[in-house]
Amino acid sequence: MARPLRYQIWSRHIGIIILALLLAFAGSYMLIRQYVLEQRTADLVRKGTGLSLLVAASRQQEDGYRELRQLVEVLDPFLDARIWVVDRQGGILALSGDMMPPAAGGMHFNHGDAMPHGRGMMQGQGPGRGMMRQGGARLAGPLQEVLQGQIVKRTFFHDFYQEQMLVVAVPVPGAEAGSIDGAVVLHVPLQGVEEWLQRVRWHLGVVAVICLLASLLVGQRLSRQIARPLENLRQATQHIAGGEYHRRVPVEGPAELADVAQSFNAMAASLEKSALEMEKQEGLRRDFVANVSHELRTPLTIIRGYNEALADGTAPEQQRQQYHALIRDEALRLERLIADLLDISRLRAGVVEMERECILLQSLVAGVVQLVEKLAQEKGLRLETKLSEGLFVYGDGDRLTQLLLILLDNALRHTEQGGVRIESGRGADGRAFLRINDTGHGIPAEALPYIWERFYKVDKAHSRDGGGTGLGLAVAKEIMNLHGIEVEAASIVGAGTSFTLRFPPDST
């Protein structure tokens, strides 16, 4: 089973931090140790060079050996180093500390067996032949290069002192130019340096532990900041998969995760809108099926009932003509219903052939007014027009005629007194408009968004008195969509309704 992302981020962060701290600790310690040793070595070289000049001068004294011994004894505490003076063959002439040879005899050692190559010391020859040689003891192998005139710097375990030493050997110049008359060898125990470095290691360790603890806290917070938005996204995704489209996630965390959260919320909002739209469409589909069933069943029931009455002879003779007329009217109603349904389907599918042309809006309205004038007269309603001259629109003449006929017929059928007024003109934006105002019953504000739906009727009782199919405004909406016409409906219950059609700019 995979570990949670938070712990993966945290563990990897800590692993990298620990590795970085180890490398930093080791690197810092090595650099400090190297720096300390280099500084100590440089100091010994500087002091050894000065001492070599003093040793070279002391060889001119009558009692050179005594002068040399006194010199190294005096300088030992000041140089903080053990001093050896050797002749040109590498034989040891003098040592500082408690292992110095007697003035008139050979050198003696507290640990003679630890002296490299030591076989006891013999009194040397006078200063006239160079430095005095006290015996057969020689320099250790690694330091022999000093007798070639080179400054030698070494760190090794010293057999004589039985500890790790930093050794610097400086050649002693001879009387002749370029000649070497011996060497001065300075020994510094590394124990003190190592003790100081141990304290450095301890301080570095404390700093590393503090940094590690701080990185643990930072890593935990960082992993939480990264993992928490992702966990929120995971949970929200599961809820949305279960149909809870209202779920949203907080916009938090780094910029990239915040962008993901914003995109997720936008997607969720789109899904919620789509789900609501689908629910709405499903409701409309159910209503459509119910309405179609109702609209078809009612005339069919009427036709069948009257037809059976005529067929079995139960209809009175004086009402037979009336029954035939009712059957004919219901058949025509069915025909109009089917025609409207087919028309809507063709308009929505875009398979209608449109013969677009420039049409004088004044002539188009005048033609439609003539078609509905008889209906207005029958209901005692006024038909008023206020049309701008020379205003052209671009579209299919038959479809635009059908559109205006539907709107005017609908206005007249829902108006009991007063009348209908038609205006046209050009708006402030330069677009042509056509406005149809009636003084009818009016439409409630909550019903206005749905008047373009198929079979939608403000009268929930589906009154058949008007003779309509309930598809007129749906057909009108499809025609307006094909022509790019924008429509605005406004209504006041008991005062009337207004439809304003705005034609697209390229149609005028």
Side-chain angles (χ1 to χ4, degrees):
M1 181 179 179
R3 292 184 301 170
L5 177 62
R6 174 182 174 183
Y7 295 104
Q8 293 186 30
I9 296 175
W10 183 79
S11 60
R12 293 176 183 177
H13 169 79
I14 294 305
I16 294 174
I17 292 298
I18 291 176
L19 179 60
L21 287 175
L22 289 176
L23 293 176
F25 178 85
S28 300
Y29 174 74
M30 292 175 63
L31 287 175
I32 293 173
R33 186 177 189 278
Q34 181 180 2
Y35 175 79
V36 170
L37 291 178
E38 287 179 353
Q39 292 297 314
R40 189 68 173 119
T41 301
D43 181 61
L44 290 177
V45 170
R46 184 173 61 256
K47 294 176 178 179
T49 302
L51 179 59
S52 67
L53 297 177
L54 294 176
V55 170
S58 68
R59 67 181 183 176
Q60 305 299 328
Q61 303 297 326
E62 289 295 331
D63 193 356
Y65 172 73
R66 185 177 299 276
E67 292 291 336
L68 184 60
R69 180 179 178 183
Q70 292 177 352
L71 178 63
V72 298
E73 285 291 343
V74 170
L75 294 178
D76 180 284
F78 292 99
L79 298 182
D80 193 20
R82 296 293 177 262
I83 306 171
W84 288 15
V85 179
V86 300
D87 59 14
R88 66 170 62 94
Q89 284 79 31
I92 298 176
L93 302 177
L95 292 84
S96 65
D98 58 352
M99 299 182 183
M100 297 300 298
M107 282 185 176
H108 70 276
F109 302 92
N110 293 339
H111 302 283
D113 56 343
M115 186 68 185
H117 309 290
R119 295 184 179 179
M121 298 295 169
M122 299 179 296
Q123 185 172 349
Q125 303 168 9
R129 297 188 59 184
M131 287 188 177
M132 295 180 292
R133 188 168 186 272
Q134 291 296 327
R138 303 284 178 178
L139 285 178
L143 302 177
Q144 290 292 331
E145 295 177 359
V146 70
L147 301 177
Q148 309 299 322
Q150 302 178 18
I151 296 177
V152 179
K153 296 167 279 188
R154 294 286 188 275
T155 300
F156 57 88
F157 184 81
H158 205 289
D159 291 337
F160 181 69
Y161 293 107
Q162 289 294 300
E163 62 178 313
Q164 198 76 10
M165 304 287 284
L166 170 62
V167 181
V168 173
V170 180
V172 175
E176 299 179 1
S179 63
I180 302 301
D181 206 11
V184 172
V185 184
L186 303 179
H187 304 75
V188 174
L190 291 180
Q191 181 179 358
V193 176
E194 293 297 337
E195 290 176 353
W196 183 84
L197 291 175
Q198 180 65 30
R199 292 195 297 272
V200 171
R201 284 197 299 269
W202 188 87
H203 289 295
L204 289 176
V206 171
V207 172
V209 171
I210 294 174
C211 292
L212 180 60
L213 294 176
S215 65
L216 288 174
L217 297 177
V218 173
Q220 185 179 18
R221 183 175 181 181
L222 178 63
S223 62
R224 186 185 299 113
Q225 287 180 346
I226 295 176
R228 183 170 56 194
L230 295 177
E231 177 63 19
N232 292 336
L233 285 172
R234 184 188 66 81
Q235 294 178 359
T237 302
Q238 291 178 345
H239 288 296
I240 287 180
E244 301 179 28
Y245 300 108
H246 63 280
R247 290 284 181 172
R248 300 293 185 271
V249 295
V251 179
E252 60 182 0
E256 294 79 2
L257 291 178
D259 291 342
V260 173
Q262 289 179 343
S263 300
F264 179 88
N265 289 338
M267 179 195 70
S270 178
L271 287 175
E272 184 179 18
K273 182 179 179 180
S274 299
L276 293 175
E277 184 65 24
M278 289 177 64
E279 291 179 3
K280 178 183 176 183
Q281 292 298 328
E282 180 63 19
L284 293 175
R285 186 191 66 80
R286 290 193 298 267
D287 292 343
F288 173 75
V289 172
N291 289 328
V292 168
S293 300
H294 173 77
E295 296 294 335
L296 291 176
R297 183 173 59 250
T298 301
L300 287 175
T301 301
I302 294 173
I303 292 173
R304 185 180 66 179
Y306 285 119
N307 185 63
E308 289 177 352
L310 292 171
D312 59 18
T314 58
E317 185 66 29
Q318 63 274 17
Q319 293 184 347
R320 285 180 177 271
Q321 292 298 326
Q322 181 182 357
Y323 285 2
H324 283 296
L326 289 173
I327 291 173
R328 183 180 64 253
D329 290 343
E330 293 302 323
L332 291 175
R333 178 180 172 81
L334 282 175
E335 184 179 352
R336 289 196 305 270
L337 177 63
I338 294 172
D340 287 344
L341 287 173
L342 291 175
D343 205 18
I344 290 177
S345 298
R346 293 175 62 202
L347 289 170
R348 286 193 171 183
V351 297
V352 178
E353 294 183 3
M354 303 282 289
E355 296 181 2
R356 298 179 183 270
E357 57 182 340
C358 285
I359 302 171
L360 183 62
L361 188 57
Q362 184 179 8
S363 299
L364 180 66
V365 174
V368 176
V369 168
Q370 290 180 356
L371 295 176
V372 299
E373 191 171 11
K374 181 179 179 181
L375 177 61
Q377 292 175 355
E378 291 176 352
K379 299 189 67 173
L381 301 175
R382 299 187 308 272
L383 266 177
E384 300 177 358
T385 58
K386 183 181 179 180
L387 306 175
S388 297
E389 297 181 356
L391 192 61
F392 288 86
V393 295
Y394 186 71
D396 186 290
D398 292 339
R399 289 296 177 180
L400 291 177
T401 298
Q402 182 184 7
L403 168 63
L404 297 182
L405 187 59
I406 291 172
L407 295 177
L408 286 176
D409 181 77
N410 189 72
L412 290 171
R413 289 182 183 278
H414 292 86
T415 301
E416 300 299 331
Q417 60 182 358
V420 177
R421 179 182 176 86
I422 308 168
E423 301 178 16
S424 68
R426 193 180 298 276
D429 55 0
R431 298 167 60 183
F433 71 88
L434 180 68
R435 183 175 294 113
I436 300 174
N437 299 312
D438 66 54
T439 57
H441 305 133
I443 304 172
E446 63 273 12
L448 278 176
Y450 305 104
I451 60 176
W452 309 106
E453 301 294 342
R454 295 171 294 184
F455 295 112
Y456 185 83
K457 294 181 180 180
V458 178
D459 179 11
K460 300 303 180 181
H462 296 283
S463 174
R464 297 169 54 85
D465 296 338
T469 63
L471 296 172
L473 290 181
V475 174
K477 182 63 174 176
E478 296 300 329
I479 295 174
M480 287 187 287
N481 290 339
L482 287 176
H483 286 82
I485 299 173
E486 297 177 0
V487 62
E488 178 182 349
S491 183
I492 300 176
V493 177
T497 303
S498 171
F499 289 97
T500 302
L501 280 63
R502 302 185 187 280
F503 294 85
D506 58 354
S507 69
T508 59

